[in-house]
Amino acid sequence: IATVRLAQTCPINPRQRGFICCSENLKLLQLLVKSAKQEHRDLGVVFVDIAKAFNTVCHQHIIAGLVQRGVDSHVVHLVGEMYRNITTYIV
């Protein structure tokens, strides 16, 4: 639901795969693998995080951008809650 609402006010470039539902990415990968097998072709897959946006963009700027784009306040609140009091531990 959040993805659909965000896509209405913040369209994502078709080349961007990071914010697309994981199942859609998996279906695309499965289709590519199946096609390569059927056609007896080599297939190489590379996953690249060029910008590392979540490491470099302040979470408050993300929220401010959503508000500026006119995203529904409930979705903005949901995104804000996802970032509230989060921590990462490397063991």
Side-chain angles (χ1 to χ4, degrees):
I1 294 171
T3 301
V4 171
R5 290 186 181 176
L6 281 171
Q8 292 171 351
T9 52
C10 301
I12 296 173
N13 186 303
R15 294 181 185 165
Q16 171 67 42
R17 302 306 303 168
F19 297 102
I20 307 300
C21 178
C22 293
S23 65
E24 187 175 327
N25 287 336
L26 290 174
K27 287 178 187 176
L28 177 60
L29 181 58
Q30 287 173 334
L31 179 64
L32 289 171
V33 170
K34 182 179 179 182
S35 176
K37 283 183 179 180
Q38 288 175 341
E39 298 174 15
H40 304 289
R41 303 183 95 174
D42 291 335
L43 175 67
V45 179
V46 178
F47 298 92
V48 180
D49 181 1
I50 296 173
K52 291 190 173 188
F54 293 103
N55 294 341
T56 58
V57 177
C58 172
H59 296 161
Q60 292 297 52
H61 288 161
I62 294 171
I63 301 300
L66 294 174
V67 170
Q68 184 179 19
R69 293 294 299 253
V71 173
D72 182 87
S73 62
H74 295 292
V75 176
V76 174
H77 178 73
L78 175 66
V79 172
E81 287 298 304
M82 291 189 310
Y83 288 123
R84 190 162 56 105
N85 297 324
I86 59 170
T87 56
T88 302
Y89 296 96
I90 300 174
V91 180

